[in-house]
Amino acid sequence: MATGGFFKGGTSIDIVAIIANSYDVDTVREAVKMYIVAKKKKGRSEQHIHEKLGKLEIKFKQIEAFHPAWRDARALFQIRKSDHIPMSIVRER
């Protein structure tokens, strides 16, 4: 992820900046993973991380293309499912 070396991933401001300026789901996925890692390194509980992710997901839930990034990062770290991002999108034919 090209972040110019300043992205630490530990604050919501960091991740909001990356997601708001991204058009790539892989970049968003990596940013969310880095955010979770930063929270874990600080010793935050799973509940705390879940709540923080939820606040961020609310900001970006209208961008359906990024939903897999949120789901994948949560699954990777075994954080419970989002209250804001659907598990999957079923489209009518």
Side-chain angles (χ1 to χ4, degrees):
M1 169 173 34
T3 60
F6 68 89
F7 180 68
K8 301 291 185 216
T11 69
S12 59
I13 293 171
D14 289 340
I15 193 169
V16 166
I18 294 297
I19 295 171
N21 293 300
S22 180
Y23 299 99
D24 177 30
V25 70
D26 291 329
T27 300
V28 173
R29 183 180 294 110
E30 289 304 310
V32 175
K33 287 169 30 180
M34 288 175 64
Y35 182 71
I36 293 170
V37 166
K39 292 295 179 199
K40 287 185 167 284
K41 283 184 179 178
K42 291 179 180 177
R44 303 299 191 243
S45 70
E46 182 179 326
Q47 180 62 30
H48 174 86
I49 296 169
H50 169 74
E51 291 169 3
K52 290 291 194 172
L53 287 174
K55 289 178 183 179
L56 291 167
E57 290 165 344
I58 288 170
K59 290 180 191 273
F60 296 103
K61 72 179 180 180
Q62 75 280 6
I63 307 173
E64 291 181 8
F66 292 165
H67 288 188
W70 296 102
R71 288 191 297 263
D72 293 348
R74 283 176 173 270
L76 179 66
F77 292 97
Q78 299 178 344
I79 297 171
R80 71 182 173 117
K81 295 172 185 151
S82 173
D83 298 328
H84 311 289
I85 302 295
M87 280 305 298
S88 63
I89 299 171
V90 178
R91 303 225 184 252
E92 292 184 27
R93 292 181 185 220

